[in-house]
Amino acid sequence: MKTCLYPGSFDPVTQGHMDVIRRAARMFDTVVVGVLHNPDKTGCFPVEKRVEMLKKACRDLPNVEVIAYGGLLAQLTRETGISIVIRGVRNASDLENETAMARINRQLNPELETLLLPASPECQEISASMVRQLAAFGADLKPFVPPEVLPDILAAFS
Ligand code: PNS
C-alpha cells in the first residue's frame, strides 16, 4: 500500500489544491491530506471548517482522507509512518521555497521524501490568498474553488 501525505493550510481549499489531490489519488493507494492547525497564525477559516470543506471537495475520491495536524510536518510523518510528502509547485518562487522545506524536513526525518508536482497550467495562478482577496471584494470565485465549497466561502465573506 503506497500512501502519500499532502500537507498545507488549505485556507480555503482551491482548484489548485484539488489538481494536486486528484493527481496524487491516481498515483497512490491512499492520499492523506493534512491540514495544518497553527494556533499562532490567525487564518481565515478555523481548522475544523477547512477540514470539513476539504472532505466535501474530496467526496468523490474514495482513497483520500483528510486530517488536521499541529506542530512539525516531519513529526507527523514519523507518527503516521508516511514517508512520502507531495507538494504542488506553481512557479520559481514555489520551487525555491518547497526545495528548502523538503531539505529541512529530510534533515528532521531522513526517511522522508518530498515529491514536487508541477501545477497544471490552468491552476498556475491560483492561491488561497488570492481567493480570499477576491472573495472579500465579491468577485466570481467559480473558476478558482471546488463547487462543493463555494457556498461556505460566500457565507464566510457575506
Ligand atoms: O499551504 P501552505 O501554507 O503552503 O503549507 C505550508 C505547510 C503547512 C505545509 C508548512 O508550513 C508546514 O508543514 N508547516 C508545519 C511546520 C513545519 O513542519 N515547519 C518546518 C518545515 S519548513
Side-chain angles (χ1 to χ4, degrees):
M1 275 279 279
K2 271 280 173 210
T3 302
C4 75
L5 176 67
Y6 178 36
S9 305
F10 305 103
D11 191 25
V13 58
T14 68
Q15 290 291 27
H17 298 132
M18 292 310 296
D19 173 48
V20 175
I21 293 172
R22 285 195 201 96
R23 290 160 66 195
R26 287 201 292 268
M27 291 188 281
F28 289 88
D29 298 307
T30 306
V31 178
V32 177
V33 179
V35 183
L36 179 67
H37 174 49
N38 185 351
D40 300 333
K41 198 172 151 189
T42 46
C44 179
F45 291 93
V47 70
E48 299 79 14
K49 187 69 189 173
R50 285 182 267 147
V51 167
E52 182 196 311
M53 288 195 284
L54 268 157
K55 284 184 176 172
K56 275 190 213 174
C58 297
R59 67 182 167 206
D60 293 335
L61 298 168
N63 60 336
V64 175
E65 295 167 21
V66 186
I67 61 165
Y69 75 99
L72 290 175
L73 178 61
Q75 184 61 30
L76 176 69
T77 60
R78 279 184 196 280
E79 283 166 10
T80 57
I82 303 175
S83 59
I84 301 175
V85 162
I86 196 157
R87 291 279 291 168
V89 172
R90 291 162 301 184
N91 48 40
S93 154
D94 274 1
L95 184 61
E96 197 175 324
N97 294 335
E98 295 302 330
T99 305
M101 197 163 87
R103 288 198 182 113
I104 291 169
N105 282 331
R106 190 139 182 263
Q107 211 165 315
L108 297 172
N109 178 5
E111 301 292 312
L112 182 57
E113 291 290 357
T114 301
L115 298 185
L116 300 181
L117 205 56
S120 296
E122 65 276 16
C123 298
Q124 228 168 333
E125 307 305 331
I126 305 177
S127 68
S129 59
M130 185 267 282
V131 165
R132 292 196 299 272
Q133 214 169 83
L134 293 178
F137 289 102
D140 180 16
L141 299 178
K142 281 193 208 80
F144 309 116
V145 301
E148 297 85 355
V149 304
L150 185 57
D152 295 288
I153 299 173
L154 294 179
F157 282 87
S158 66

